[in-house]
Amino acid sequence: MSAARRWLLKWARTAHLYLTLSGLVLILFFAVTGFMLNHENWFGLGEPRTRTAEGTVPAAALNPLDRLAVVEALRADLGATGAVQSFKEMDDAVEVEFVRPGLRVLAEVRRDDGAAKAEFEAHGWAGVATDLHKGKSAGPAWAWVIDATCVLLILISATGLVLWTSLKSRGRWGLLVVLLGAAAGVAVYYWGVP
């Protein structure tokens, strides 16, 4: 074996080990939440738990309409949390939707008297975890975490393949297993997916 080949295998072994360890928690998180998404009814993700809250928005925020003041009043008085998903202005009311992983808040404010009512739809910890898996309502920072985990899995797979090439007698069987795994995925897609 050449010195360059020995160096490549040593580098791949070290990279494979430390990349796997550094991403272990995220890899487990995405594995578990992927399973949860596949079996949503097992984890109570079907029907959300709902509650309502009532309050008021100051008239100064409504006439003329100050969107930021309305949003902040809904956060302070009704406990609305999350990013503003939509802000709809109607003649007689304003409707604001807040979203975050596992939670949706829909608030309606009457423009004549500032009376506000919000409906909270929560999916609990399972909803938070599965929404994070999908990147739903989690923001750009979490999108970077998902992208980094994808790159990490690609690097772990690539270094694993480099290490696999160093196996002398078991290398043929490994190739067979890789081909069988790929064939099984294609077969399930072809015959099992409607």
Side-chain angles (χ1 to χ4, degrees):
M1 183 182 303
S2 71
R5 176 93 173 125
R6 278 195 302 276
W7 177 87
L8 176 64
L9 290 175
K10 182 179 179 182
W11 175 86
R13 189 174 295 111
T14 303
H16 189 75
L17 172 67
Y18 290 106
L19 288 171
T20 304
L21 289 173
S22 69
L24 180 65
V25 172
L26 286 172
I27 293 167
L28 285 173
F29 171 79
F30 284 105
V32 169
T33 54
F35 181 81
M36 291 170 68
L37 283 167
N38 230 15
H39 304 283
E40 288 183 347
N41 347 352
W42 295 3
F43 298 96
L45 292 168
E47 285 297 314
R49 290 181 297 283
T50 60
R51 71 176 176 87
T52 58
E54 295 182 5
T56 56
V57 171
L62 297 168
N63 296 308
L65 184 63
D66 181 350
R67 289 176 169 228
L68 181 59
V70 170
V71 168
E72 291 307 315
L74 291 170
R75 290 184 193 283
D77 197 34
L78 293 130
T81 59
V84 175
Q85 180 73 18
S86 66
F87 193 109
K88 296 178 185 172
E89 296 178 40
M90 297 166 276
D91 291 336
D92 59 342
V94 173
E95 188 178 273
V96 185
E97 180 183 21
F98 299 86
V99 292
R100 64 178 296 169
L103 179 67
R104 177 179 176 262
V105 180
L106 186 61
E108 186 175 303
V109 181
R110 290 197 318 239
R111 292 182 90 160
D112 59 352
D113 61 358
K117 183 176 182 180
E119 183 174 292
F120 293 75
E121 294 179 1
H123 288 277
W125 69 268
V128 172
T130 55
D131 281 355
L132 286 173
H133 180 99
K134 297 181 280 187
K136 184 178 177 183
S137 307
W142 188 256
W144 280 99
V145 170
I146 293 172
D147 291 345
T149 304
C150 293
V151 169
L152 190 65
L153 286 170
I154 291 168
L155 292 173
I156 289 168
S157 298
T159 55
L161 285 173
V162 169
L163 292 172
W164 169 64
T165 64
S166 71
L167 302 174
K168 299 280 187 243
S169 62
R170 295 175 286 173
R172 289 188 311 264
W173 294 110
L175 178 59
L176 179 63
V177 170
V178 168
L179 292 174
L180 286 174
V186 169
V188 168
Y189 175 76
Y190 185 74
W191 287 296
V193 176

